[in-house]
Amino acid sequence: MLYDFTYYNPTRIHFGKDSLAQLKGELVNFGETVLLVYGRNSIKKIGLYDQLIAILNESGKKVVELPGVMSNPTYEKVLEGGKLVRDNKVDLILAVGGGSVIDCAKAISVSAYCEGDAFTRYWMNFEPVNNEIIPVASVLTMVGTGSEMNGGSVVTNEELKIKAGRVYGPEVNPKFSILNPEYTYSVPQYQMVSGVFDIMSHLMEQYFSGEDNNTTDYVIEGLLRCVIDNVRVAIKNPEDYEARSNIMWSATLALNTVTGLSKTQDWEVHMIEHQLGAYTDCAHGMGLAAISLPYYRSIYSYGLDKFVRFATEIWHVSTEGRTKDEIALEGITQLELFMKECGMVTSIRELGATKEMLPKIADSTVLGGGYKKLSKEDVLEILERCY
Ligand code: NZQ
Ligand code: ZN
């Protein structure tokens, strides 16, 4: 059933080949100074940087830049951005890139005027944000996280070895996001596939939980089928607009909170990946991929009917002559075959994890879970199985 909910998402989306044409009209709504936040070199390579600077200049904006945002953005980078905001009295933070760049922009937005240590206050103690929040907007170039239409921000504190995520209220959502699937043509296959598993993981984290059996479950199944079909096309032809656009919009829908409505939700794969990422700096989606199979094999029996539904609805597993356990496990096997077909990583060793790291990762993982609440020992066992 659908439990009571209120739904509100304030991000305006401009989607499609000509979506950048909307930027000028959006910029009118903000003050003079724009902080342009971006990654290492991809936006310059694809010519987007020059286009953006031209539009910002034509719009009469003063541009301050924060280049070099790394994957798994660090708190140090956030502090560097915060100083730029204060020194230049920034009115809008325009993030151009993937989830790391957008998350970093949101982190700068909430922490620039925070008194005291923002990481401790906002990412560890989950204090409400009472200081000024600088508006954020985004131009998306790498698909997966859904950060373009949510209030999430994941930051790595290298000193503490903690990668922490927080979902802020709608005041932190990008005010607008520009989504042109053509910008993603240049994303290398490893990154694209990592992003695709991230989308699938967001959907599965929300699907494998409770006995809700509601509209959201059907929406999730449709999105999973869409992503599975379209990534196969995009691997063969990275410039297939239909495939890239379908993947891009699925990613946004998978984590703009629509697919979490009336769902109890799990998120333990993400919790384990965050600490794996803190120790290895792995690509987020690949970390999720490596953890998911042992995790689902260890918990499926606690949510047996849902795993049977996953097997039959997503992978068309035949039920004839099979027990529920056999059907559910065959569904996970089909997921594994698909992951291998796409080149997704299925071992954390390949991502740089060492045996010595495993107890530290297990000890620092936030415990929760959907069908089964995990203990630290359970997490360690899962890590050993995906090593
Ligand atoms: O630095 P550049 O040169 O831009 O290269 C980037 C980066 O190396 C490259 N890239 C981006 N657009 C490109 C491109 N290369 C070629 N052509 C383009 N058009 O892609 C690489 C990866 O980018 P990144 O932003 O790190 O990837 P992703 O979007 O997967 O973001 C991962 C981060 O988001 C967090 C993750 O934990 C991780 O820190 N997440 C954020 C969430 C949220 N805000 O809701 C939820 C997620 O579950 C996730 O935790
Ligand atoms: Zn994710």
Side-chain angles (χ1 to χ4, degrees):
M1 66 168 280
L2 281 162
Y3 310 103
D4 300 6
F5 65 85
T6 300
Y7 184 69
Y8 171 61
N9 191 314
T11 304
R12 194 161 38 248
I13 297 290
H14 300 291
F15 190 96
K17 290 184 183 182
D18 295 323
S19 49
L20 192 61
Q22 306 298 324
L23 180 57
K24 228 173 170 175
E26 289 284 4
L27 289 173
V28 173
N29 302 318
F30 302 92
E32 193 196 0
T33 308
V34 176
L35 175 65
L36 189 64
V37 180
Y38 55 96
R40 281 157 292 199
N41 55 18
S42 68
I43 72 158
K44 290 193 174 162
K45 264 199 193 156
I46 65 174
L48 181 56
Y49 174 84
D50 290 339
Q51 284 175 284
L52 289 167
I53 293 292
I55 296 169
L56 288 162
N57 287 340
E58 282 164 28
S59 306
K61 301 295 178 187
K62 179 182 157 213
V63 182
V64 181
E65 298 192 26
L66 180 69
V69 175
M70 61 296 280
S71 288
N72 302 318
T74 62
Y75 183 47
E76 211 182 331
K77 197 72 188 170
V78 173
L79 295 176
E80 190 186 328
K83 184 167 185 325
L84 288 175
V85 166
R86 290 188 303 276
D87 290 352
N88 297 281
K89 301 197 170 38
V90 164
D91 299 299
L92 171 70
I93 307 176
L94 183 59
V96 187
S100 295
V101 171
I102 306 174
D103 281 16
C104 185
K106 292 177 194 165
I108 295 167
S109 147
V110 294
S111 59
Y113 292 109
C114 171
E115 279 178 28
D117 183 56
F119 190 82
T120 312
R121 291 187 59 190
Y122 297 156
W123 279 268
M124 306 234 339
N125 297 340
F126 290 86
E127 286 182 33
V129 181
N130 294 322
N131 52 261
E132 185 182 352
I133 295 173
I134 309 297
V136 170
S138 83
V139 180
L140 187 66
T141 66
M142 148 84 202
V143 166
T145 65
S147 188
E148 64 277 10
M149 201 178 179
N150 68 38
S153 173
V154 183
V155 174
T156 297
N157 188 316
E158 290 187 301
E159 215 176 303
L160 302 177
K161 280 241 172 282
I162 292 179
K163 177 172 168 180
R166 171 150 178 202
V167 182
Y168 290 94
E171 60 284 357
V172 178
N173 271 48
K175 301 295 174 208
F176 64 89
S177 285
I178 291 176
L179 276 58
N180 181 345
E182 289 179 334
Y183 297 156
T184 67
Y185 288 172
S186 55
V187 175
Q189 187 175 323
Y190 184 91
Q191 285 297 341
M192 174 185 79
V193 163
S194 171
V196 162
F197 195 81
D198 192 20
I199 305 169
M200 293 178 72
S201 180
H202 295 159
L203 294 167
M204 292 188 288
E205 297 266 33
Q206 294 167 103
Y207 186 73
F208 291 127
S209 58
E211 304 296 332
D212 319 314
N213 185 28
N214 60 34
T215 312
T216 306
D217 289 302
Y218 292 87
V219 173
I220 291 174
E221 286 164 359
L223 289 171
L224 276 171
R225 284 197 291 264
C226 174
V227 170
I228 291 163
D229 288 350
N230 284 282
V231 72
R232 288 179 160 138
V233 178
I235 286 172
K236 285 203 190 98
N237 178 13
E239 302 203 0
D240 187 299
Y241 185 82
E242 186 175 298
R244 289 291 198 171
S245 56
N246 284 333
I247 295 170
M248 192 175 224
W249 188 229
S250 299
T252 308
L253 292 174
L255 205 55
N256 70 352
T257 62
V258 153
T259 47
L261 291 177
S262 271
K263 294 292 303 168
T264 25
Q265 310 186 27
D266 184 336
W267 296 107
E268 194 55 33
V269 175
H270 271 70
M271 292 305 103
I272 301 173
E273 190 286 331
H274 282 184
Q275 280 317 99
L276 175 69
Y279 279 85
T280 64
D281 197 27
C282 63
H284 171 64
M286 290 307 195
L288 298 170
I291 295 159
S292 290
L293 295 168
Y295 177 71
Y296 288 130
R297 285 188 173 117
S298 79
I299 63 136
Y300 84 90
S301 57
Y302 299 89
L304 188 57
D305 287 343
K306 200 54 170 289
F307 278 87
V308 167
R309 179 169 165 175
F310 176 71
T312 55
E313 293 305 311
I314 305 301
W315 304 106
H316 314 294
V317 170
S318 159
T319 55
E320 229 178 276
R322 284 180 160 135
T323 63
K324 281 187 176 182
D325 278 271
E326 286 166 345
I327 299 165
L329 285 170
E330 181 56 24
I332 300 173
T333 301
Q334 290 302 318
L335 171 65
E336 180 173 10
L337 292 173
F338 165 77
M339 288 164 68
K340 290 189 168 149
E341 174 193 331
C342 295
M344 289 159 183
V345 173
T346 51
S347 136
I348 59 173
R349 195 170 0 167
E350 260 184 72
L351 298 171
T354 62
K355 274 263 181 221
E356 295 66 46
M357 285 178 189
L358 304 189
K360 294 180 193 158
I361 296 171
D363 270 352
S364 53
T365 293
V366 175
L367 300 175
Y371 290 120
K372 182 179 189 272
K373 303 289 168 221
L374 297 192
S375 64
K376 283 194 191 313
E377 291 70 34
D378 293 330
V379 174
L380 184 58
E381 204 181 309
I382 288 164
L383 287 167
E384 280 165 352
R385 275 199 245 148
C386 55
Y387 182 66

